[in-house]
Amino acid sequence: MELIFQNSITPDQINRLRKAVGFRQLDTEQISAGLAGSQLTLAACGQGEAIGMARLIWDGGGVALVTDVIVLPEYQEQGIEAELVKRILGYLRARLKPGYGIQVDVRSWGSQEEIYQELGFIESTRERRGLPMHICLTEQIELTDSRFGQGDFSPPAS
């Protein structure tokens, strides 16, 4: 299958990809805001549909985050994830000035760890980078993202 890489994807296409890999659906307004706040968004398209995506969040200086590297399960482990990330890294390398450096972070899911290591990423450790931490802010009572253990969320008893 011939792939086309483009710099746009719709919120509905993103939710379709998210659903296919078990991520919760997001409000399309929230997705649109995330796309607008991204430095770069890539979609891998085949047979007339988006089959994968990745986004770059970059402050324009020394810190960048590659996020939402999502590929439909039937197309995973075919080099699409790697190609999306390579294109983002190429975008960043093209903007490096002499003496500059950009710390690029990415989260690895499933078999992606090996892909990222082949691209030069190394596993972060507490001693090297501090302990990665997160918080999920939401107005929702029920969260359904099983990958984050949020499917069984219930509010604290009063």
Side-chain angles (χ1 to χ4, degrees):
M1 170 179 48
E2 182 180 342
L3 290 180
I4 297 171
F5 292 88
Q6 59 189 42
N7 294 335
S8 64
I9 187 168
T10 69
D12 288 336
Q13 290 171 321
I14 290 173
N15 265 336
R16 187 176 68 79
L17 292 171
R18 290 178 62 85
K19 183 176 183 178
V21 297
F23 289 172
R24 68 184 172 92
Q25 304 297 280
L26 298 175
D27 184 280
T28 56
E29 183 180 345
Q30 185 176 13
I31 293 173
S32 294
L35 291 171
S38 298
Q39 182 70 32
L40 177 65
T41 301
L42 292 175
C45 300
Q47 300 176 353
E49 67 175 315
I51 62 169
M53 69 164 294
R55 291 190 307 132
L56 169 64
I57 301 170
W58 180 36
D59 67 1
V63 179
L65 172 65
V66 178
T67 189
D68 295 334
V69 181
I70 304 171
V71 173
L72 291 174
E74 60 267 31
Y75 296 102
Q76 291 176 4
E77 299 183 24
Q78 296 180 26
I80 299 169
E81 295 99 327
E83 185 60 30
L84 287 163
V85 176
K86 282 180 192 176
R87 288 172 181 254
I88 288 175
L89 294 176
Y91 176 90
L92 288 169
R93 283 189 183 102
R95 283 147 184 83
L96 276 175
K97 295 180 181 179
Y100 278 33
I102 303 172
Q103 173 186 301
V104 183
D105 290 327
V106 66
R107 282 197 188 100
S108 175
W109 300 101
S111 63
Q112 290 177 334
E113 184 176 341
E114 186 176 308
I115 294 167
Y116 298 147
Q117 287 173 340
E118 289 176 6
L119 294 172
F121 286 89
I122 58 172
E123 187 176 331
S124 296
T125 63
R126 177 189 293 264
E127 297 76 25
R128 188 176 177 130
R129 301 268 316 278
L131 179 65
M133 300 180 77
H134 75 277
I135 186 171
C136 182
L137 303 177
T138 182
E139 298 281 327
Q140 293 176 272
I141 300 266
E142 180 182 343
L143 296 173
T144 57
D145 194 333
S146 62
R147 290 197 179 209
F148 293 105
Q150 297 172 338
D152 298 321
F153 177 81
S154 56
S158 329

